[in-house]
Amino acid sequence: MLYAITPASVLILNVILNWELFTNYGFTGKKQEKQNQVHVLYNWFLLAACCYFIVDMFWGLLYEHKEVSVFFPFIYYLTVFYYMFMLLTMLTWTRYMVAYLDNTGRPSELLI
């Protein structure tokens, strides 16, 4: 239970601090402005990070009851999702940084 408190508090703090970005820009680039697209990509990164925190929180809750053999498949699935969302967080961060730095060229296109 103690392990799950940390991701839960980080998730709450993340949503509180970035709520204005979520409501102002959303997850689709309605305007084709470059600055708006940067905010949308940052929102996708924040969404991936929130999913990562949620999976980490549930993993901590279930791992507290690891002696119950029924939870083993769920703990395994949550471990797989943990690493998938870790990868997704890194990919969305890379896309955001390339858009934020506004680099053009072959390496930037390859990263996106």
Side-chain angles (χ1 to χ4, degrees), residues 61-104:
L61 288 173
L62 285 179
Y63 194 73
E64 285 290 323
H65 305 288
K66 62 182 175 253
E67 64 274 355
V68 180
S69 63
V70 176
F71 289 149
F72 283 163
F74 296 112
I75 293 171
Y76 175 76
Y77 295 144
L78 285 175
T79 304
V80 171
F81 285 135
Y82 177 86
Y83 287 107
M84 286 174 50
F85 280 118
M86 185 186 298
L87 174 67
L88 186 64
T89 303
M90 289 187 292
L91 289 175
T92 54
W93 176 254
T94 304
R95 288 188 69 202
Y96 163 69
M97 286 308 296
V98 169
Y100 179 77
L101 294 175
D102 196 23
N103 289 340
T104 55

Side-chain angles (χ1 to χ4, degrees), residues 27-43:
F27 295 100
T28 58
K30 296 173 187 141
K31 301 174 189 171
Q32 293 300 331
E33 299 174 8
K34 195 70 165 174
Q35 186 66 21
N36 188 32
Q37 188 66 21
V38 170
H39 289 300
V40 169
L41 289 173
Y42 185 68
N43 283 347

